[in-house]
Amino acid sequence: TEIEGCSVPWVVRAAVEFIETQGLTMEGVYRRSGSTMDIREVQAQVARIGVATNGLFDDKCAVVADPDMDVPSVTSVLKQYFRDLPDPLMTMSTYQMWVDAANISDVSERISVYRTISSTMPLAHAHTLQFMMQHLKRVANNQGENKMTTNNLAVVFAPNILHMSRSNVLQDMANMSEINKTVSFLVQHADSVWTDGVQEMASGVESMSLSQSMPSPTSQFYGFMQHGRDNGKTSFDMSFK
């Protein structure tokens, strides 16, 4: 569901809208990869919108891709956006808390702990995590057709949103079971972890400083197109409307 007044980046909202409209029941919707040519076209589309709106992404008619675009190309761009964030969606500062909570056996206690961890993250990260987990739950609800179970979605998504810096790959490998369990649980229990309490945090979005917002996909995708891969640096950061 939409989080009123939330700070979910435009590229995330637009990609999710496209995926749910065009490919919610597509088999392997998040497991399949798009073609390089189509992925670059989606990236170029996002960059064009960013330039046309001066980075505000406030054009209500803008779409991430034409309806006939291959859906896996859009899912690939969305996964790359999260993969290339300088600070992962679930943040490096809360990484160990997520991992440690993965082995809590009591479901109610685990939900409570996850809710607390989420509330400590910057608003843009907290709102986007809620938005994505609720989206992935809707994907999983159609697993009879798309074959994407909560475990399958976790295997695909978890390494992109819950990890340490790239220099700590061995630590992530050691924690991979807990990382996957965390994301699978969040998808399965998304509606219980995120309640009205988290949505009330949206009232502070307007006063959110730029340093708390998520990076612009425009700068990410320009870097990708010019240098082959984003180098983690962005020319400007801002929250999206």
Side-chain angles (χ1 to χ4, degrees), residues 104-121:
I104 296 175
S105 57
D106 184 80
V107 172
S108 296
E109 180 184 356
R110 194 168 167 190
I111 287 173
S112 178
V113 171
Y114 282 160
R115 184 181 298 138
T116 299
I117 298 172
S118 177
S119 70
T120 68
M121 299 195 305

Side-chain angles (χ1 to χ4, degrees), residues 1 129-138 190-191 194:
T1 57
L129 178 61
Q130 175 181 348
F131 184 84
M132 282 304 304
M133 293 304 102
Q134 291 175 335
H135 159 62
L136 293 179
K137 183 177 179 66
R138 291 191 290 274
D191 295 334
W194 288 283

